Amino acid sequence: MKIPFNWPHMTGKELYNIAESHFNGRLAGDGPFTKKCHDWLEVNGHTHRALLTNSCTASLEMSALLLDVKAGDEIIMPSYTFVSTANAFVLRGATPVFVDIRQDTLNLDETKIERAITNKTRAIVPVHYAGVGCEMDSILDTAGHYGLSVIEDAAQGLMATYKGKPLGSLGKLGAFSFHETKNIISGEGGALFVNDQALAEKAEIIREKGTNRSQFFRGEVDKYTWQEVGSSYLPGELIAAFLWAQLEDAEKITEARLRSWDYYHSLLADAESQGYLNRPIIPSECGHNAHLYYVILPEHIDRNRILFKMKTAGIGAVFHYVPLHSSPAGKKYGRVSGELRNTEVLSKQLIRLPLWVGLSKEQQETVVQVLLDALRSNINV
Ligand SMILES: *Cc1c(COP(=O)(O)O)cnc(C)c1O
């Protein structure tokens, strides 16, 4: 691949931090680097309690345990998302209820949530696709009216805002990912934001194998014991050491990504007005983090042919989500609410373009040239 889809950015300080943990003999979780990461996330993420986890998947699983999700409960979410959004709840025996997405942001359509609610509904899981916030005011209103919890899948949302507030800080809980493909990375890794103070202690317990070990280490209790159903959801210090270098540069990384995002957006303006494609739409209340740059092709275009042509030209462009309701496990464990027309059409027509720190303007021009050539020759056939 001449221009890969993703190239993980490293600040250069990761190895120094890891060496420090190494020399100090601090390898297990919740050491000094974890503490630095927690403090940074709490200050910059406006959350009551931030906890590092092994992945966003782990954060979502913790959320299901925290809210006591049980067999038969229903959890409202988009079908257009990553499998972990649903898996975390299916693991507890709950049913994902799939609702359609909006045409502009590809986020959960807040106007279609109410009709999906039954007396079994427990929670709503909005997914902030591409680091663009869902319509949270409306979602929180609906949730409040029906007594439901809101868990934000903010896997892609670090450093992005809705009405000036950081994504992940708006619901009861927020789940983040530091997977290599996200903006801020530690290979694998994640965080859980506990915005509801009443859940903070239980979150610590679930994360520490169901024990009150965190309280023991703070000297709040004289022994630690098994308190709740839990698991091992905390990462070791080497991961936190790596992540700390990234968090220190989070602003610079986001600015660099935004510059590339804006450049694609200007390069593709004419193609949009000529009807070759649609560019992403960012609502004015959303401050996004340039997690993805995608285009939506017209319905009559065979997206996979375009992807094949781009791949042949050495460009790492990729599609995004096979909708969960159409997947084998989604059919087995989930339920659909209403029609999912936007989900079905948009997921077939979307292409994500290469976007990473260090991608040059010339490379971006090549990507756009190859994409437009493929579209023009396709239309002329
Ligand atoms: C990446 C991603 C996840 C999973 O994150 P991991 O850290 O790999 O577990 C979950 N949900 C969404 C929307 C994602 O983009």
Side-chain angles (χ1 to χ4, degrees):
M1 208 51 80
K2 276 187 272 180
I3 305 180
F5 173 68
N6 184 45
W7 187 257
H9 169 71
M10 280 164 260
T11 69
K13 289 179 286 184
E14 288 84 353
L15 280 176
Y16 293 95
N17 292 350
I18 289 172
E20 192 178 322
S21 294
H22 177 119
F23 287 121
N24 292 336
R26 295 299 303 257
L27 302 180
D30 281 340
F33 281 110
T34 304
K35 175 90 174 72
K36 280 179 199 269
C37 293
H38 284 174
D39 291 346
W40 190 98
L41 290 167
E42 283 166 13
V43 170
N44 293 281
H46 298 191
T47 182
H48 172 69
R49 184 68 55 87
L51 296 168
L52 291 193
T53 62
N54 292 315
S55 59
C56 181
T57 304
S59 301
L60 291 164
E61 287 180 25
M62 280 184 68
S63 304
L65 283 168
L66 260 170
L67 299 175
D68 266 322
V69 170
K70 297 217 162 48
D73 288 350
E74 294 185 347
I75 312 292
I76 292 172
M77 63 182 67
S79 168
Y80 186 72
T81 182
F82 189 61
V83 297
S84 297
T85 319
N87 251 329
F89 301 96
V90 171
L91 270 168
R92 310 249 64 80
T95 303
V97 176
F98 300 120
V99 169
D100 206 5
I101 50 173
R102 288 161 53 133
Q103 197 173 4
D104 57 353
T105 56
L106 282 65
N107 279 334
L108 193 59
D109 185 339
E110 67 280 358
T111 66
K112 294 183 177 147
I113 292 174
E114 196 157 17
R115 75 181 77 144
I117 295 173
T118 71
N119 58 8
K120 294 180 183 162
T121 309
R122 290 288 315 285
I124 306 171
V125 188
V127 179
H128 304 300
Y129 185 66
V132 179
C134 294
E135 187 38 58
M136 289 305 291
D137 276 353
S138 164
I139 292 170
L140 291 167
D141 258 11
T142 308
H145 190 259
Y146 290 93
L148 309 175
S149 298
V150 173
I151 303 157
E152 297 175 71
D153 183 335
Q156 306 175 9
L158 195 71
M159 302 297 284
T161 57
Y162 169 80
K163 297 192 176 172
K165 296 175 197 152
L167 299 187
S169 72
L170 297 137
K172 210 174 246 190
L173 299 162
F176 290 85
S177 174
F178 303 119
H179 184 265
E180 178 185 301
T181 52
K182 303 301 200 276
N183 291 15
I184 305 297
I185 61 173
S186 58
E188 304 282 346
L192 179 68
F193 278 16
V194 186
N195 304 315
D196 180 349
Q197 201 162 340
L199 293 174
E201 192 173 302
K202 190 172 169 190
E204 283 183 348
I205 289 170
I206 288 171
R207 178 170 167 271
E208 266 285 15
K209 299 95 184 168
T211 72
N212 54 351
R213 187 171 175 171
S214 302
Q215 288 171 291
F216 174 71
F217 280 140
R218 285 198 297 265
E220 294 165 15
V221 290
D222 60 3
K223 57 182 179 304
Y224 73 89
T225 53
W226 188 20
Q227 303 278 323
E228 296 271 357
V229 176
S231 190
S232 184
Y233 288 121
L234 75 167
E237 268 292 279
L238 300 184
I239 291 283
F242 190 105
L243 182 64
W244 176 242
Q246 296 262 322
L247 290 176
E248 278 198 303
D249 271 7
E251 210 143 303
K252 271 206 282 192
I253 291 169
T254 309
E255 280 165 14
R257 296 186 73 101
L258 281 166
R259 276 197 297 277
S260 297
W261 196 101
D262 290 342
Y263 195 49
Y264 272 135
H265 210 56
S266 66
L267 287 174
L268 288 163
D270 287 345
E272 184 177 62
S273 53
Q274 289 158 10
Y276 283 113
L277 47 81
N278 283 312
R279 297 178 301 161
I281 294 168
I282 312 289
S284 60
E285 58 271 24
C286 296
H288 76 109
N289 62 4
H291 176 57
L292 302 175
Y293 196 90
Y294 63 82
V295 295
I296 308 279
L297 307 184
E299 268 189 69
H300 64 276
I301 303 285
D302 179 352
R303 186 255 325 258
N304 293 340
R305 267 188 67 180
I306 305 295
L307 280 180
F308 179 75
K309 285 187 178 174
M310 294 185 78
K311 194 174 162 195
T312 309
I315 311 288
V318 291
F319 61 86
H320 224 179
Y321 304 127
V322 175
L324 298 184
H325 76 281
S326 65
S327 65
K331 285 181 192 159
K332 194 161 152 193
Y333 300 112
R335 173 167 83 69
V336 166
S337 169
E339 284 193 29
L340 303 190
R341 190 179 143 73
N342 287 339
T343 303
E344 274 159 17
V345 172
L346 297 170
S347 65
K348 273 213 276 293
Q349 300 309 113
L350 181 137
I351 290 183
R352 291 183 287 157
L353 304 182
L355 178 56
W356 31 273
V357 177
L359 182 69
S360 70
K361 282 190 155 188
E362 292 71 28
Q363 285 174 311
Q364 289 189 274
E365 287 156 15
T366 305
V367 170
V368 167
Q369 191 63 50
V370 170
L371 169 66
L372 294 182
D373 284 351
L375 281 168
R376 289 196 184 104
S377 65
N378 199 70
I379 280 163
N380 293 338
V381 170

